[in-house]
Amino acid sequence: MNDSLASLVRQRPDRFGALGTVAPQDPAAAADEIGRVMGPLGLHGIMINSHTEGRYLDEPQFAPLLEAAEAAKAPIYLHPRFPSVLAPYDAYGMQAAVWGYQAEAGLHAMRLILSGVFDRYPGLTIVLGHLGEGIPYWLKRIDNRHAFAARIQGAAGAMPKLRLTPSEYFRRNFVITTSGIDDPAVLALALDAVGEDNILFAIDAPYEDTADAMAFLRSAPLSDAQRAKISHLNAERVFTLR
């Protein structure tokens, strides 16, 4: 699939860029494939659909994959999927985009932050859709409660000691895309939480309407400089697009 995708990009490099995919079930092979994706194939990062058979990228067996991504400067787009524990989401259609997707991807991102992954791999970049899968809304409380739990014995389970606050990792190691959230109020919150250099325009086609997303990009209350960064400049930097 990565070979086919690279072939399409080579046919129209002025029009297309792409993210490769890997199989985290085999972390060593995934690490090798990241090198191929970012090297001979000339793609711009990788996409992983959150958990792999209920396992998360903070777990030790995935170290080769993360090490390879950092070394190759390969952003990892952490895309949602059904939650690894599905039973509570089975009722009322909550497994997918109504609630389960953002809950799952947000959980995965928080595991990466709180596990110390970004102390071990400070150059790693993670991309989250849907304006951060809810995390920007919670950043101040996450910092507050993390500090409390680190200070008060018994306030939480075992936690690794981190060099930075959770919000500092989120601002340093994550970028977020607008995909599926054409809401100026939420965009304003995201700008305040992570800054104009860490937000990328995205549509989530075919599940979201392209015309609606473009209208949002044009009408959102942004300065010309902010609109240029969000519409293309940030993506060009993060994904090394020429």
Side-chain angles (χ1 to χ4, degrees):
M1 186 63 82
N2 289 337
D3 290 344
S4 297
L5 196 57
S7 175
L8 290 170
V9 172
R10 280 194 295 270
Q11 292 173 39
R12 287 295 304 273
D14 57 325
R15 180 79 173 169
F16 296 126
L19 304 179
T21 191
V22 299
Q25 296 93 325
D26 188 335
D32 290 342
E33 185 65 1
I34 289 171
R36 202 174 73 93
V37 162
M38 299 299 292
L41 295 188
L43 302 182
H44 305 285
I46 62 170
M47 181 176 285
I48 293 177
N49 287 326
S50 195
H51 69 89
T52 301
E53 299 175 335
R55 315 306 300 189
Y56 291 84
L57 291 175
D58 58 278
E59 297 179 47
Q61 65 266 34
F62 297 113
L65 188 160
L66 299 181
E67 182 178 354
E70 182 187 43
K73 295 182 170 55
I76 299 175
Y77 202 126
L78 200 60
H79 193 278
R81 62 177 296 186
F82 277 21
S84 58
V85 179
L86 197 54
Y89 299 89
D90 275 341
Y92 321 122
M94 293 196 298
Q95 310 96 327
V98 170
W99 189 250
Y101 282 179
Q102 54 264 42
E104 167 62 33
L107 168 68
H108 200 152
M110 288 304 302
R111 287 182 62 114
L112 291 172
I113 292 170
L114 297 179
S115 65
V117 156
F118 299 111
D119 287 340
R120 298 189 291 277
Y121 308 105
L124 191 62
T125 297
I126 304 294
V127 187
L128 288 179
H130 316 112
L131 282 174
E133 309 293 7
I135 293 175
Y137 185 92
W138 292 98
L139 274 180
K140 288 187 178 180
R141 177 168 174 79
I142 290 167
D143 277 354
N144 177 281
R145 293 297 87 194
H146 184 264
F148 179 84
R151 190 172 66 248
I152 305 299
Q153 187 173 5
M159 297 191 313
K161 185 174 177 58
L162 302 179
R163 296 173 190 164
L164 305 176
T165 64
S167 67
E168 287 173 318
Y169 294 112
F170 195 74
R171 294 184 179 100
R172 186 189 74 180
N173 293 97
F174 286 78
V175 296
I176 64 179
T177 79
T178 62
S179 60
I181 301 189
D182 300 335
D183 185 331
V186 182
L187 178 59
L189 169 71
L191 282 165
D192 182 66
V194 304
E196 62 192 36
D197 294 322
N198 292 324
I199 302 174
L200 287 64
F201 176 67
I203 296 172
D204 209 7
Y207 306 105
E208 302 289 344
D209 185 83
T210 298
D212 288 348
M214 292 302 300
F216 167 67
L217 177 64
R218 293 188 181 107
S219 64
L222 299 166
S223 69
D224 289 345
Q226 288 174 322
R227 206 177 317 275
K229 286 182 178 183
I230 291 170
S231 65
H232 66 98
L233 292 177
N234 291 341
E236 290 168 12
R237 184 191 79 248
V238 171
F239 295 115
T240 319
L241 300 170
R242 299 174 186 81

